Amino acid sequence: MDINFRMMTPDDKDEVLTMMRTFYASPALYTNGSEEIFRNDFNNCVNDSPYLEGYIFESDGCICGYSMIAKSFSTEFGKPCIWIEDIYLKESSRGMGIGEQFFDFLEKRYTDVIFRLEAEKDNAPAVRLYQKKGYEVMPYLEMKK
């Protein structure tokens, strides 16, 4: 499958928000999000935020998925950190190697960084992909306020 990864644009809003609603309602995430969060995330992706980038996955002119990555710095590893926040493929596009291609794309785009992501333990297909791409389970207890 010939896939193109490109930056999100304002024209992608309706389709990205639809994919976000589906993704956040799935068992792949702990939280369900909200319309306010979805709009805020999308707007930050297309408004030159220094912290968040949004990518569209396209094949033959059709959108088949999206990803959002957040940028930070890891004092633990002493280098910039790319957090893969969202990675979503429409059901009809799963199992075709697109996720694997996206990880390769990110590794070419960002060098000398640490990549991090979170996954639900029960999301076996995603965990298999991440481990195949060299991601290791970290023994952290994540906390938020």
Side-chain angles (χ1 to χ4, degrees):
M1 173 178 264
D2 188 31
I3 193 79
N4 178 46
F5 303 110
R6 65 168 174 81
M7 302 298 286
M8 283 181 190
T9 69
D11 291 339
D12 298 317
K13 184 176 184 176
D14 290 341
E15 193 143 7
V16 170
L17 293 179
T18 297
M19 289 186 290
M20 290 181 80
R21 288 180 198 108
T22 302
F23 182 45
Y24 278 78
S26 77
L29 286 119
Y30 179 71
T31 61
N32 290 338
S34 70
E35 288 299 313
E36 180 182 1
I37 290 170
F38 301 154
R39 284 191 306 275
N40 190 43
D41 289 351
F42 179 81
N43 289 337
N44 275 280
C45 285
V46 299
N47 290 331
D48 297 323
S49 168
Y51 306 109
L52 192 63
E53 289 181 350
Y55 292 91
I56 293 293
F57 307 170
E58 270 184 332
S59 179
D60 297 323
C62 295
I63 294 175
C64 55
Y66 82 95
S67 182
M68 292 182 184
I69 64 162
K71 298 176 181 180
S72 66
F73 190 89
S74 172
T75 57
E76 180 179 4
F77 297 102
K79 57 177 72 176
C81 181
I82 301 296
W83 277 93
I84 302 166
E85 292 286 343
D86 289 13
I87 184 167
Y88 174 80
L89 286 163
K90 292 179 179 177
E91 195 167 336
S92 61
S93 298
R94 296 177 189 162
M96 298 178 168
I98 297 169
E100 193 167 346
Q101 290 178 51
F102 183 65
F103 282 100
D104 293 343
F105 167 82
L106 286 178
E107 288 176 18
K108 288 177 187 164
R109 183 171 173 91
Y110 297 100
T111 57
D112 199 30
V113 301
I114 187 82
F115 288 100
R116 297 184 84 162
L117 54 78
E118 298 171 350
E120 285 294 316
K121 292 176 188 175
D122 295 337
N123 191 351
V127 171
R128 276 193 302 276
L129 169 63
Y130 306 152
Q131 289 175 325
K132 181 179 180 181
K133 295 308 292 177
Y135 288 76
E136 301 171 10
V137 175
M138 301 293 290
Y140 294 111
L141 169 66
E142 183 174 345
M143 301 173 77
K144 74 173 188 82
K145 180 178 178 184

